[in-house]
Amino acid sequence: DQAAGFRSLQRLQGKKVACSSTRSYKAANLQVYECQGVTVNGRRLANGVTCSQRWTGRIAKPQQKGFKDKTDVQSFCKTLFNDDGLVFQMVLAQYACEQTKDIRVQWFEDGWTTGVEDKGYIQSLRCVFRPADTRITRKKEA
């Protein structure tokens, strides 16, 4: 029985989602699935957020202006791992940019689209979940 999380190659609604490397680990009570160098049928996922290569929780949200140029990474994580018995907590992304625009693949709640041109792309993703029986509470800072 293979461990849960990203694999080097998985299918999602007819497309091949590939990772150049993967990690699955626990951080506190959270389960983290990481996919480095993510591609979909050989193309990169649309970014449209930032060119900073640091891990960030800054992601595209459906109500944001210009959302059509981005990828819904929350829905992507939730859909890919919806059978793992975990509750979605958050997603972190590592973005990057190239000098020239290229065609990017996008995921939205209703599936794949292709055709947006963007210099930016999603380099890597971390999908973070918690067990269904664990509640996460944040301490309020004074």
Side-chain angles (χ1 to χ4, degrees):
D1 196 30
Q2 216 173 358
F6 282 105
R7 293 168 180 63
S8 56
L9 186 64
Q10 52 261 302
R11 284 184 127 10
L12 181 59
Q13 288 195 6
K15 293 197 185 290
K16 294 177 193 166
V17 178
C19 305
S20 59
S21 68
T22 64
R23 288 191 331 153
S24 180
Y25 59 94
K26 293 229 186 281
N29 287 330
L30 301 175
Q31 178 63 54
V32 182
Y33 299 147
E34 185 175 311
C35 174
Q36 295 276 340
V38 61
T39 60
V40 178
N41 283 2
R43 293 204 175 271
R44 297 191 183 275
L45 285 164
N47 165 353
V49 178
T50 178
C51 289
S52 170
Q53 294 192 339
R54 286 189 217 111
W55 285 104
T56 179
R58 205 173 136 209
I59 58 167
K61 298 212 168 79
Q63 67 273 24
Q64 284 177 323
K65 184 179 173 214
F67 182 69
K68 65 181 176 32
D69 298 331
K70 301 174 173 90
T71 296
D72 186 353
V73 290
Q74 277 189 348
S75 171
F76 179 79
C77 286
K78 288 178 186 177
T79 305
L80 201 55
F81 300 113
N82 70 349
D83 295 330
D84 283 4
L86 297 168
V87 177
F88 176 80
Q89 191 68 31
M90 63 187 278
V91 61
L92 298 171
Q94 204 172 29
Y95 301 108
C97 291
E98 297 175 314
Q99 293 299 314
T100 56
K101 287 186 176 186
D102 197 1
I103 301 292
R104 306 293 183 207
V105 178
Q106 293 168 284
W107 170 267
F108 295 112
E109 277 190 359
D110 54 357
W112 297 108
T113 64
T114 54
V116 70
E117 280 195 57
D118 192 5
K119 289 181 182 179
Y121 60 91
I122 296 170
Q123 177 69 43
S124 303
L125 284 175
R126 283 181 183 152
C127 300
V128 183
F129 296 86
R130 65 176 169 81
D133 58 357
T134 303
R135 286 202 126 9
I136 304 297
T137 56
R138 288 195 180 140
K139 291 183 179 169
K140 298 231 191 291
E141 296 196 25

